[in-house]
Amino acid sequence: MKQFSSDKEAADALAQAYKNLTSEISKVIIGQDEVVRLVLTAVFSQGHCLLVGVPGLAKTLLIQTIASSLDLSFNRIQFTPDLMPSDIVGSETMDQSRNFQFVKGPIFANIILADEINRTPPKTQAALLESMQEYSVTVAGQKYELNRPFFVLATQNPIEQEGTYPLPEAQLDRFMFNILLDYPSFASELQIVKNTTSDASYRLPTVLHADEITAFQHLVRRVPVVDNVIEYAVKLVHKTRPNTAMGAAQASQYLEWGAGPRASQHLIVGAKCNALLNGKYSPDIEDVQAVALPILRHRIVRNFKAEAEGITVEKIIQDLL
């Protein structure tokens, strides 16, 4: 890996690497630029993502494409109602000498695609909690460290509610971003159909390696932030808390529950990363606003009045910005 003489040089290298990444990924993933931006922001911020969208919007392909361009090991776990925690983290088995031996599960990779995460019961969903927070798994009292960098990119289908187990708030809070995927535009869909119905295939070159990603993650943490930007982020989170001293009127009127301190942390780290990706050396309030929606979307809970009046989470967050 190249050694940088200063953080400024490293920041310029990250901005260039991001341009190269988005350029290569856009050759395979068409019309999802905003989604790619947010997933890469999470990667460099050491965050996890929840991608929500109807079937056929290339959620799985997007994650596989990003994994291959980043030269990271990748495992896909298809979540089903009969999946057990040991199917994710691994289990102890007895070898020929009658000794117990730990067989690693698919969680031991850099990027984990948790496909349709809400199709499995809470007991199995919870198997991911330790790995997402502590970067380790504990089996039979023994702790095993996970490979770094480590990301969980989970997908969810918002339509099918039959046979699903909604993620509890504690689990949702572990995800840095909740990213909504929408239908592609007419022009994008034309290009998608042309690309995917021919015999041509495109092999992505590797843009970044694991040690470079880890170095860039540390760089993001070192980015300086002025106090008024931190205050703006923390005030924004406080505004979402109904019936509190700093809670906004809309929050008290339309929200059951507001965002916790983890939202404030993610807003600042996300703003730092967003600034670097755009060639800046320190974030401003616009960088906080650029990441606010996917960070707050799954951390606030609407009340019955908001649902009855058709007030969306997005509308409430936009008003608070």
Side-chain angles (χ1 to χ4, degrees):
M1 179 194 155
K2 185 186 173 187
Q3 296 299 317
F4 298 108
S5 58
S6 66
D7 279 354
K8 179 182 178 297
E9 192 186 331
D12 293 338
L14 173 55
Q16 187 56 50
Y18 171 67
K19 276 187 191 152
N20 297 345
L21 272 169
T22 49
S23 166
E24 292 300 334
I25 291 167
S26 65
K27 292 171 185 173
V28 178
I29 304 296
I30 295 155
Q32 297 285 11
D33 299 345
E34 177 66 4
V35 177
V36 170
R37 177 184 77 83
L38 288 171
V39 173
L40 290 176
T41 301
V43 165
F44 293 121
S45 304
Q46 284 178 275
H48 309 288
C49 288
L50 181 63
L51 287 87
V52 181
V54 297
L57 294 184
K59 297 187 291 292
T60 306
L61 178 64
L62 170 80
I63 294 167
Q64 287 173 330
T65 303
I66 288 172
S68 62
S69 65
L70 292 176
D71 187 34
L72 296 176
S73 59
F74 170 81
N75 276 336
R76 173 180 177 167
I77 306 171
Q78 188 66 50
F79 281 70
T80 55
D82 59 349
L83 196 74
M84 298 297 286
S86 57
D87 296 329
I88 297 173
V89 299
S91 58
E92 292 214 309
T93 58
M94 193 180 280
D95 61 19
Q96 292 171 330
S97 314
R98 300 180 71 80
N99 294 321
F100 281 106
Q101 189 179 341
F102 178 62
V103 178
K104 290 180 176 180
I107 197 83
F108 288 87
N110 296 122
I111 293 187
I112 302 300
L113 166 56
D115 217 2
E116 297 198 274
I117 192 171
N118 58 333
R119 287 215 165 276
T120 200
K123 178 182 179 182
T124 308
Q125 288 175 7
L128 281 174
L129 279 176
E130 183 189 354
S131 55
M132 289 171 75
Q133 191 64 32
E134 313 294 334
Y135 298 100
S136 63
V137 296
T138 306
V139 177
Q142 182 73 36
K143 192 172 185 178
Y144 301 92
E145 295 294 327
L146 292 169
N147 306 330
R148 303 290 287 270
F150 174 79
F151 315 101
V152 172
L153 303 176
T155 69
Q156 208 171 286
N157 174 356
I159 312 174
E160 293 178 51
Q161 296 308 324
E162 200 173 325
T164 61
Y165 304 83
L167 291 173
E169 268 62 39
Q171 178 108 25
L172 280 173
D173 200 39
R174 296 294 196 284
F175 288 101
M176 179 177 185
F177 288 145
N178 179 333
I179 304 171
L180 289 188
L181 280 84
D182 208 348
Y183 291 110
S185 66
F186 180 76
S188 296
E189 196 160 339
L190 271 179
Q191 193 60 47
I192 290 166
V193 172
K194 282 178 188 172
N195 288 9
T196 54
T197 54
S198 71
D199 197 28
S201 63
Y202 179 71
R203 185 170 174 77
L204 277 177
T206 299
V207 178
L208 284 176
H209 299 277
D211 56 347
E212 294 173 304
I213 294 165
T214 305
F216 285 140
Q217 287 175 340
H218 290 301
L219 172 70
V220 167
R221 299 276 163 166
R222 292 198 299 275
V223 169
V225 190
V226 293
D227 284 350
N228 73 307
V229 173
I230 297 178
E231 281 170 21
Y232 176 82
V234 176
K235 273 181 188 166
L236 176 60
V237 172
H238 273 261
K239 280 187 195 172
T240 68
R241 298 171 185 168
N243 307 312
T244 58
M246 293 179 72
Q250 296 102 308
S252 301
Q253 191 177 3
Y254 292 122
L255 294 181
E256 191 87 32
W257 203 254
R262 203 179 261 128
S264 304
Q265 294 167 333
H266 284 320
L267 281 171
I268 291 302
V269 176
K272 285 180 175 189
C273 186
N274 193 69
L276 288 182
L277 298 185
N278 287 298
K280 296 188 288 186
Y281 303 121
S282 182
D284 49 32
I285 285 169
E286 283 75 23
D287 292 301
V288 176
Q289 292 169 338
V291 294
L293 188 60
I295 286 173
L296 295 174
R297 180 184 276 134
H298 55 301
R299 289 185 166 89
I300 61 178
V301 180
R302 290 181 303 161
N303 60 18
F304 179 73
K305 179 176 167 61
E307 290 183 27
E309 292 182 20
I311 306 289
T312 63
V313 165
E314 286 78 9
K315 168 88 170 75
I316 294 167
I317 295 169
Q318 290 294 349
D319 289 348
L320 296 180
L321 289 174

